[in-house]
Amino acid sequence: MNKQVIITILLALALPLSAWAQPESVKADSIIVLEYGYQAIDSITASQSPVTYQQIREAEAVVQGITDQKVKNHAVLDYVLSHPDSDGSVYLLGHVNGVGNGRKCLSAISERARNGNMKKLYDAYDAGIKEFDEMTAKTREACPIGKEAKDFTLEDINGKQLTLSSLRGRYVLLDFWGSWCVNCIAAFPQMKAFYEQHRDQLEIVGVAFHDQKDKWKKAVQENALPWKLVFDQEDSVAERYGIVAAPTYVLIDPEGKVVEWTIGDRETIEEYF
C-alpha cells in the first residue's frame, strides 16, 4: 500500500523543536508530531491544542509497552469503541493491525472526532482502506466470506494429489505464497508456532503460485515447512481465488465455507483461534 501512515511521537527533550522549524514561542512546549503518508507533517502542542494533546497522551498510555500485536489490537478496539469522541481514538489507528480491525475503528469514531483536529489522520486511514478495497476487489468477488470455498486438486510436495474438500471437518488455512515472496518467507517462523499450537483443529495448506517447481522445493526444504504443500503449476487456483498479492491467507471452516481472507495480515486470521 503506497499511502502507509506513520505516526511518530516526539517530545521536546528528545528532539529540539527547532529541527521541525517550530516558532520560537513553542520551543519549550511538549509537541506531538504526526506524519501522514511520506510528506505532510502536522503537529499538536500542549498549549495550542490542550484537549487533543491530553487525549492523545491518554490513548498512547493504553498501548504503551504492549508488544503482542493481538493483545494490542484488542486494547485499541476496546478503547476506540468506548471513546468514539476522543481525538486519541483517531491517533490509535496507527497501532491497530489488520484491515478488518481498521474498519471497526474507523466506523466507530464519531463525526466530531473525524472532522476535528485529527481529520487529516482519519482521512489518511480512510483513504488507505479504500485503496485496499480497490486493489482487492478481485479477491472479494472470487472468495466471498460465508460462501463455500472453491474446491481444487493439486500435486503436493510428495507428488501425490491433494483435494481441498478431503480436509473437511477441520479448519483449513490456505497460504498463497511463493519462493520469490520475501514477506511470505519472513512469516514462516511465527506461522510454525501458530500451527504447532492449533494443529489439532487446523490444517495449513501452502499453495505456491507464480513459481518454479525447483525453487519452490528448495524454499520448502530450507524453511522446513511442516504443513501440507501444493504447487499451483498453471496459477489456476490462485486465479479462481482472485489472488492479487502474496501472502494471501484464506481461512476455511470445517464445513468448507470461507471464514476470512486477508493479505499479509496473519494476525487477523489468528484471532479466530
Side-chain angles (χ1 to χ4, degrees):
M1 192 174 294
N2 59 20
K3 292 184 179 178
Q4 179 183 0
V5 181
I6 306 168
I7 302 179
T8 308
I9 299 180
L10 300 171
L11 296 180
L13 293 178
L15 181 66
L17 296 184
S18 58
W20 295 91
Q22 294 295 323
E24 187 71 21
S25 60
V26 300
K27 282 189 177 181
D29 197 4
S30 294
I31 182 173
I32 292 176
V33 175
L34 304 172
E35 183 177 349
Y36 312 98
Y38 296 112
Q39 298 177 350
I41 297 177
D42 275 2
S43 63
I44 294 175
T45 64
S47 62
Q48 292 175 331
S49 304
V51 175
T52 295
Y53 180 87
Q54 185 60 36
Q55 288 178 346
I56 291 175
R57 294 304 301 271
E58 290 175 356
E60 174 66 17
V62 171
V63 296
Q64 191 70 38
I66 300 179
T67 57
D68 186 298
Q69 186 60 53
K70 185 176 180 179
V71 174
K72 184 179 289 187
N73 284 342
H74 286 300
V76 171
L77 283 168
D78 288 345
Y79 188 87
V80 172
L81 291 174
S82 60
H83 298 79
D85 282 333
S86 173
D87 290 338
S89 291
V90 183
Y91 167 81
L92 282 181
L93 291 171
H95 289 275
V96 73
N97 183 275
V99 173
N101 290 325
R103 288 188 205 280
K104 292 176 184 177
C105 289
L106 284 167
S107 62
I109 292 170
S110 71
E111 285 294 325
R112 191 221 63 77
R114 295 180 188 188
N115 296 300
N117 290 333
M118 305 292 281
K119 175 176 171 54
K120 186 180 290 187
L121 181 59
Y122 181 90
D123 289 347
Y125 278 106
D126 187 50
I129 292 291
K130 290 176 180 176
E131 182 182 2
F132 178 84
D133 286 344
E134 291 175 3
M135 182 184 75
T136 60
K138 182 179 178 181
T139 311
R140 289 202 315 278
E141 181 179 350
C143 192
I145 292 173
K147 299 296 184 180
E148 186 172 328
K150 295 178 172 66
D151 202 12
F152 62 80
T153 299
L154 290 173
E155 183 178 300
D156 71 10
I157 193 71
N158 299 311
K160 298 181 179 180
Q161 298 295 301
L162 173 66
T163 300
L164 175 62
S165 58
S166 70
L167 302 176
R168 293 277 176 89
R170 306 178 72 194
Y171 280 93
V172 176
L173 179 60
L174 301 180
D175 172 20
F176 287 90
W177 72 291
S179 62
W180 44 269
C181 174
V182 176
N183 290 334
C184 301
I185 304 297
F188 286 153
Q190 289 183 315
M191 280 187 65
K192 286 182 183 179
F194 172 67
Y195 179 56
E196 186 61 33
Q197 184 179 1
H198 300 287
R199 63 187 307 167
D200 60 325
Q201 59 178 317
L202 170 74
E203 187 58 75
I204 297 178
V205 178
V207 183
F209 73 105
H210 199 59
D211 211 344
Q212 297 178 28
K213 185 168 286 189
D214 57 340
K215 292 183 178 180
W216 165 61
K217 289 185 175 181
K218 181 180 180 181
V220 169
Q221 183 177 19
E222 289 179 344
N223 293 281
L225 302 183
W227 44 77
K228 298 184 184 300
L229 299 145
V230 294
F231 191 73
D232 191 5
Q233 180 76 48
E234 305 296 333
D235 294 345
S236 59
V237 174
E239 180 65 27
R240 290 181 64 203
Y241 275 77
I243 304 303
V244 296
T248 292
Y249 304 107
V250 180
L251 181 63
I252 302 169
D253 71 15
E255 286 72 47
K257 294 182 179 179
V258 177
V259 175
E260 182 68 275
W261 62 264
T262 179
I263 296 178
D265 176 25
R266 191 190 63 260
E267 289 83 2
T268 294
I269 297 296
E270 293 181 3
E271 288 183 6
Y272 285 90
F273 293 86

